[in-house]
Amino acid sequence: MFAGALLELSAVVTGQERPPKFDVASVKPGDPNRPSTPLRIGHGSLTVKDRVIGLITLAFNLDRQLVEGGPAWIETEWWEVAAKGETSAGPDQIKLMLQSLLADRFQFKFHSESKTVSGYSLIVDPKRGMLAKESAPDTSRDGRGSIQVDSSGFRAHGTSMTLLCKFLASGAVLRGPVVDNTGLTGIYDFRLTYDDPSVPAASTEPGQYGDIFGAVQTIGLKLTSAKVPITVLHIDNVERPSGN
């Protein structure tokens, strides 16, 4: 979900503790004309080529819309990062290490702000009720669930309403915050198809891939316009990194 994503991962926001650090890390300018280095994250290691804004959104598990401020170069200049820490560290721990790297090497400082903005509320259709099939927990996926996108829609497996709202809020779908007001705490399997001719258009505000408003009705949900509370990360300071 849009709101709360910043606080979900970051230890820095509270000011009570510093995140863990990589044991060794290399940061150097990246050539934008050369192929990007695929993101590799896991077993205590991180390899990535990205702009600083991409490193920030990765480190704090945020959509781009939730980061404000900063100089123009964080959107245009590329950097290559190769870092290693404890091999037992998983992706979430590594993202915390990346927060420390940003603070140490890019002199990155920020604060969080709460705002109320125009967005969407996801609710259960009171006339139909939730129609999607509730699924059993998938221990192989650590209970996280998954949403797989294809050319005509997406398929969800073991998906919570929180995860669905986060997906819907992404730039590929609604480009705005979505708050979960369904009251549903289970996980579900379902398939949504954009521009399904059997689904009547429910809105004049289609997403990039078609009428998501009509599509969610096929599983007993509704998207309505609403004022939504969000937490944004505001950049106070960021500098080009010093040499390795």
Side-chain angles (χ1 to χ4, degrees):
M1 191 168 72
F2 246 64
L6 176 61
L7 300 181
E8 182 178 285
L9 186 62
S10 173
V12 177
V13 174
T14 64
Q16 296 177 349
E17 58 179 302
R18 289 276 294 182
K21 294 186 177 184
F22 291 110
D23 295 330
V24 292
S26 169
V27 179
K28 59 183 180 180
D31 185 345
N33 297 315
R34 297 181 62 184
S36 295
T37 302
L39 171 64
R40 295 188 177 92
I41 182 170
H43 305 292
S45 297
L46 171 68
T47 303
V48 62
K49 176 183 175 183
D50 207 339
R51 296 159 297 175
V52 170
I53 190 64
L55 298 177
I56 293 171
T57 57
L58 174 63
F60 292 90
N61 203 32
L62 290 174
D63 291 318
R64 173 63 185 89
Q65 299 95 320
L66 290 179
V67 181
E68 298 181 344
W73 64 265
I74 68 173
E75 300 271 7
T76 59
E77 296 183 11
W78 291 78
W79 301 88
E80 295 182 7
V81 175
K84 292 183 179 180
E86 293 292 332
T87 57
S88 60
D92 287 350
Q93 189 79 352
I94 292 170
K95 290 178 182 180
L96 293 175
M97 295 176 181
L98 180 55
Q99 292 180 21
S100 286
L101 184 145
L102 286 166
D104 294 340
R105 302 296 291 275
F106 291 86
Q107 302 304 306
F108 176 64
K109 297 181 176 65
F110 71 95
H111 68 273
S112 60
E113 294 181 0
S114 297
K115 295 185 175 182
T116 301
V117 299
S118 296
Y120 303 92
S121 172
L122 183 68
I123 63 172
V124 175
D125 187 335
K127 295 181 179 179
R128 308 178 73 186
M130 183 58 164
L131 302 177
K133 175 186 176 183
E134 193 160 1
S135 60
D138 185 348
T139 55
S140 66
R141 299 192 61 85
D142 194 26
R144 294 175 183 269
S146 64
I147 295 179
Q148 298 176 321
V149 180
D150 57 38
S151 59
S152 60
F154 63 90
R155 186 181 304 276
H157 174 68
T159 298
S160 67
M161 293 298 101
T162 298
L163 179 58
L164 176 60
C165 285
K166 183 175 177 62
F167 172 79
L168 293 174
S170 68
V173 185
L174 288 173
R175 297 186 180 90
V178 181
V179 64
D180 174 20
N181 285 319
T182 64
L184 300 172
T185 58
I187 56 175
Y188 298 87
D189 297 337
F190 53 87
R191 165 76 172 151
L192 291 186
T193 303
Y194 303 118
D195 295 325
D196 185 337
S198 67
V199 178
S203 173
T204 58
E205 303 176 83
Q208 180 177 339
Y209 295 111
D211 185 20
I212 188 63
F213 296 85
V216 297
Q217 288 187 349
T218 63
I219 58 170
L221 299 176
K222 291 182 69 175
L223 277 165
T224 61
S225 297
K227 292 295 184 181
V228 177
I230 64 170
T231 301
V232 298
L233 181 155
H234 185 88
I235 298 172
D236 296 321
N237 186 75
V238 62
E239 302 172 14
R240 293 178 177 87
S242 56
N244 292 309

